[in-house]
Amino acid sequence: MTVREALDNAAKAVGSKFRDRPLTEAAVRQSFASAYLSLGLSDVAVTQAQLALDQRRRLLGDDHADTIV
């Protein structure tokens, strides 16, 4: 299994694994974004980063330090 395959599998499962901990899910997705970016997969990285940001905005609001970009 490649790193990409492992990341893809984990990214598919993260929503259900952290269903009761949405901020943890957002943090994990941000980590995935960094990992994808380091692999040169910017399109997938942006998707994961956007999902993380959307989750934080929904939970913390637009003015929270973790949602200001």
Side-chain angles (χ1 to χ4, degrees):
M1 176 179 285
T2 67
V3 172
R4 166 76 191 263
E5 291 169 336
L7 279 171
D8 289 346
N9 290 338
K12 289 176 188 172
V14 73
S16 62
K17 288 190 182 237
F18 297 103
R19 184 172 290 127
D20 296 334
R21 294 177 283 165
L23 288 176
T24 300
E25 176 188 342
V28 170
R29 287 192 184 280
Q30 190 62 49
S31 295
F32 289 164
S34 295
Y36 279 120
L37 194 57
S38 72
L39 293 174
L41 301 166
S42 58
D43 56 330
V44 186
V46 168
T47 298
Q48 289 299 315
Q50 188 63 55
L51 290 168
L53 180 59
D54 291 347
Q55 187 84 309
R56 287 182 175 130
R57 280 185 173 154
R58 186 174 57 76
L59 296 165
L60 303 172
D62 289 334
D63 296 328
H64 191 277
D66 288 343
T67 61
I68 297 172
V69 286

